[in-house]
Amino acid sequence: MIFEWMSDPAAWVGLLTLIILEIVLGIDNLVFIAILAEKLPPEQRNAARVVGLIPGFWGMRLILAGVDCLGGDPDQSAVPYF
């Protein structure tokens, strides 16, 4: 069934690991962009933050979607994602 993974402790550990990694990497991106934006003139800082955060957010989502495709269920390999 679809919800068999919910009774598997390994699946919960994997999910918890991914959540922690997302939080840590998200904070890392924020700190990195904040440090770089501070080197710009004040009138350009907000634009630099937006230009840095939006591609970073969507880039991480694309990476996660790619990992999902690679590690997906082999029984559903013929099911299109789009």
Side-chain angles (χ1 to χ4, degrees):
M1 293 259 66
I2 293 175
F3 296 106
E4 289 176 0
W5 67 272
M6 294 183 83
S7 63
D8 184 13
W12 285 103
V13 169
L15 180 63
L16 182 64
T17 303
L18 284 175
I19 291 170
I20 291 170
L21 281 171
E22 277 290 315
I23 292 169
V24 168
L25 291 175
I27 292 170
D28 179 55
N29 285 344
L30 289 174
V31 170
F32 183 73
I33 291 170
I35 290 171
L36 290 180
E38 282 299 315
K39 296 180 181 181
L40 292 171
E43 62 273 0
Q44 293 179 343
R45 289 180 186 164
N46 286 337
R49 288 183 188 116
V50 170
V51 168
L53 289 175
I54 290 175
F57 175 82
W58 289 109
M60 186 60 72
R61 298 302 158 292
L62 286 172
I63 290 170
L64 288 173
V67 169
D68 181 49
C69 288
L70 291 175
D73 187 6
D75 295 334
Q76 296 181 355
S77 59
V79 177
Y81 282 96
F82 303 102

